[in-house]
Structure formats: structure tokens, C-alpha cells
DNA sequence: CTGTATCCGCCGCGATACTG
DNA sequence: CAGTATCGCGGCGGATACAG
């Protein structure tokens, strides 16, 4: 066999491409990371927001909703006043941690090369 | 120590976030994949385009330029008429293959759960 | 505290047409 | 065959203000 992977179907909606869609919303993987590494798999909205410098309330909620729809996290409304909502990793979300962490680890190992990202000519003329 | 990873700095421009930027342009990882798995690390423009159903000439060239700037591939202009340009994986690009393939492999292993991506209610009211 | 609703700029990305 | 130039749409995503 010549192929490296078994999946040589590059259809528009193959599994690899669907995974990439999970990264389309840029906060998804970071939420999963923080939930797993720092928050033991569950956290309330405010904690999440404070753990992710730069995220806005809007995008945090919006991203969490999408993640709930895709089955990466679950949403638990606890009290009533004041509202206390907790998000938890699902088995699917937990399984997704592994490839994500490898991705991040790779970034740390290659941070030197990655430092000069947009520092090059940009034009060749 | 309580942290799972050594990097607990969640600055705006940490290594993990820079890696995510590589996925901002959606074709990047797929180009790397195809180059490595099906094309033995090097290929001409036309071959690449035919290997990636759905990609336009514009985005292919544009993405390859960005990848060249970040050091993931090199660009080699061979002949002159007609033009024959070949793109090759750099050591950096080759190293990037591993985490990408793990990501794709995860997608294939969880394709069942991923099938119903946008198939849920979307609204909760 | 958690979540929603606008307004709006930015840019990825496709379609199309044209140059060498 | 490889690449560029335009036009235009859709949607991410930040800022702000408001509601339960």
C-alpha cells in the first residue's frame, strides 16, 4: 500500500475537515484546554472568562453554546438568583484534549521558529 | 505542582495561540497533509490543486505564500516556459505533520459523534 | 452573575477574468 | 501552468448597552 493513512477520500465533508471546523471559532480549543488543565473539567462562566485573557463575554457564551451543540461540553444551571452556570467536559470533549495538547506542545517546542511569523518580507517583487 | 502543563502563561501571543493562527487559513493543514501523505513531500501547483477538492487557485497560491513566509514550505521555480513551480516541505513543516495527523486521526475515530454537528436544536427557547 | 441584542469593522474565501 | 487583480458575501469577533 502506498497511502500513509487509510482515509484517502478527500470529500468536502470528511472527518478531518469537520475537525478543522471546530477550530473555526478560535476559542474552542482554548476553552477545552483551560477546562482540563486548570479547572479540573468543570467551571463557571466567570472563572472561564478570567482564565482566558482577551475573550469577550459574547464570544465566550456563543462558543460554549456551539460546543454544547456539538457535544463537547454540557451546561448545568445550578441556582437561580444569582445565576450560577457550570460547564463540564463531556467524554467527547475530554477525548479531544489529547490531540489539542499535542498541538500546543508542538507550538512550545517550536516557539523559536514560530516567533518570526509575520516578520518576513511579505512581498517578493 | 498542580498544573498539567508547564506553560501556564496565557498571554495574548503565547505559543499555543500562535499555532492556532496557522489554522486561521483553513487550507494550511490540508496542504501539509496531502504533501506528506500522498505527494512524498513535494508537488507542483496543479497537482496540489487536484489533490484538494474545493480549493480555488487564489486561495491555494495565497496559502502557499503564507506557508512559505512562516517557513513551512519552500518554493522552487524550475523551468520558465511553461512555468513549473514546486513546493516542498521544510523540516519545520514536516515536524508539523505529526500533530496534524493525530488531529485528523481523532476525527476519523470520532466521526460518529462528529456527524451530528449542526444537527441539534440550535435554539433553546 | 449570566446572557442577549445591536452596531460594525475586518478578513477569509469563492467567482470571475486577465497576464506571461 | 502559475499567478494576480477585483468584486462581493458571509461570518468571526470586539465594544457597548441592556435584561433577568
Amino acid at each position: 500500500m502506498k497511502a500513509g493513512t487509510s482515509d484517502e477520500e478527500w470529500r468536502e465533508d470528511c472527518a478531518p475537515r469537520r475537525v478543522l471546523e471546530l477550530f473555526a471559532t478560535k476559542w474552542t480549543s482554548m476553552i477545552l484546554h483551560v477546562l482540563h488543565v486548570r479547572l479540573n473539567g468543570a467551571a463557571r462562566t466567570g472563572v472561564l472568562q478570567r482564565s482566558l485573557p482577551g475573550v469577550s463575554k459574547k464570544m465566550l457564551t456563543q462558543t460554549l453554546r456551539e460546543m454544547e451543540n456539538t457535544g463537547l461540553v454540557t451546561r448545568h444551571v445550578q441556582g437561580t438568583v444569582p445565576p450560577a452556570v457550570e460547564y463540564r467536559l463531556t467524554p467527547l470533549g475530554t477525548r479531544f484534549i489529547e490531540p489539542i495538547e499535542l498541538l500546543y506542545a508542538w507550538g512550545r517546542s517550536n516557539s523559536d521558529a514560530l516567533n518570526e511569523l509575520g516578520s518576513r518580507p511579505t512581498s517578493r517583487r
Side-chain angles (χ1 to χ4, degrees), chain A:
Chain A
M1 57 185 73
K2 64 177 70 172
T5 60
S6 58
D7 178 354
E8 284 311 302
E9 300 285 347
W10 266 123
R11 311 190 319 277
E12 296 281 347
D13 68 329
C14 58
R17 293 200 183 190
R18 281 201 298 274
V19 174
L20 291 183
E21 291 175 17
L22 297 179
F23 290 89
T25 305
K26 79 173 182 183
W27 295 106
T28 304
S29 66
M30 289 189 274
I31 291 176
L32 291 175
H33 169 86
V34 166
L35 268 177
H36 178 260
V37 173
R38 300 179 57 172
L39 276 13
N40 204 31
R44 293 176 52 179
T45 312
V47 177
L48 275 174
Q49 184 160 17
R50 265 173 266 116
S51 301
L52 294 169
V55 72
S56 66
K57 225 186 320 180
K58 174 192 169 184
M59 286 316 299
L60 181 59
T61 303
Q62 183 176 310
T63 304
L64 284 168
R65 281 288 197 280
E66 297 173 1
M67 292 171 67
E68 187 192 6
N69 288 338
T70 68
L72 293 172
V73 296
T74 53
R75 184 172 178 268
H76 299 274
V77 183
Q78 294 182 334
T80 27
V81 177
V85 181
E86 190 176 67
Y87 293 92
R88 296 178 194 167
L89 284 177
T90 63
L92 181 67
T94 304
R95 264 179 278 134
F96 196 26
I97 295 288
E98 195 173 331
I100 288 178
E101 290 303 320
L102 186 67
L103 208 58
Y104 287 175
W106 183 87
R108 296 187 203 97
S109 301
N110 296 272
S111 58
D112 293 348
L114 259 33
N115 277 331
E116 40 181 337
L117 263 183
S119 60
R120 302 199 188 185
T122 303
S123 69
R124 95 177 33 251
R125 66 180 56 231

